[in-house]
Amino acid sequence: MIRSAFALAPVAVIATMAAPAAAQTADLASVQRFLQSLTTMTADFSQTDRNGQVLTGTLTWKQPGKIRFQYQKGVPLLIVAEGGALTFVDYSVNQVQRWPIRNSPLGVLLDPSRDLSAFAKLVTDADPRLVTVEARDPKHPEYGRITLVFARDPAGPAGLTLQGWAALDSQNNRTTVRLSNQRYGGAISDNSFKWVDPRRTAGRR
């Protein structure tokens, strides 16, 4: 359940053929610059799991290494990345699971110092207005694979806007995240990534 929250289905129609070398170099460099130049982002998200269940919520992202998925009212789930760890909280059963961000498909987004050319490739897309990148660690297939979809946007960091992503884990579980109302560069406090541990409060009820 936890890892499938980021094991995603395709955001757009994506061909599996690698793009020409020149396009690979230019567009991968643009994606790298996007990740390095982005300071903060907030957006609305829509998440679809492998069973077709759709959840919505708000994403808050601060580089480097901080992201929060606050789900819609009534959904007792929370996903937060901070301090090098990705945390999944299920308040309905007072359960918390944590693992290193680098072991998650989201590690590609949250560590802008990584050299994308070492583990990512551009893939052709039917829409030339999009830039689609597939990333995976060939040494660690258990970390899964993520496909990032960007729109060319002169107003966005490095001329791009992140539209969403699709992740596939080692068990072939898929999830899709689509973003809307992306806003860049606003002030975001580190307190936004704090969370309440239900294991500490469960005994007090």
Side-chain angles (χ1 to χ4, degrees), residues 1 41 50-51 65 78 85 111 117 125 143 162 168 177 200:
M1 177 179 180
M41 186 181 92
R50 61 177 180 173
N51 298 316
L78 178 67
D111 185 357
S117 64
D125 196 289
Y143 293 175
L162 181 61
L168 179 70
V177 170
R200 296 178 181 174

Side-chain angles (χ1 to χ4, degrees), residues 175-192:
T175 307
T176 302
V177 170
R178 293 179 173 84
L179 303 179
S180 60
N181 299 320
Q182 298 93 324
R183 298 170 294 277
Y184 299 102
I188 296 177
S189 169
D190 287 342
N191 289 335
S192 300

Side-chain angles (χ1 to χ4, degrees), residues 129-151:
R129 295 170 298 179
L130 300 179
V131 175
T132 303
V133 173
E134 180 185 283
R136 64 185 180 89
D137 188 338
K139 296 181 180 179
H140 295 282
E142 70 275 13
Y143 293 175
R145 181 173 74 238
I146 189 167
T147 301
L148 306 171
V149 179
F150 296 84

Side-chain angles (χ1 to χ4, degrees), residues 37 41 45 54 57 87 97 106 150 159-160 162 168 190 200 202:
S37 61
M41 186 181 92
F45 72 85
V54 178
T87 303
Q97 292 196 19
L106 283 180
F150 296 84
L160 298 173
L162 181 61
L168 179 70
D190 287 342
R200 296 178 181 174

Side-chain angles (χ1 to χ4, degrees), residues 65 81-86 98-102:
E82 41 71 45
L86 186 65
R98 288 167 64 86
W99 59 91
I101 291 173
R102 66 178 181 273

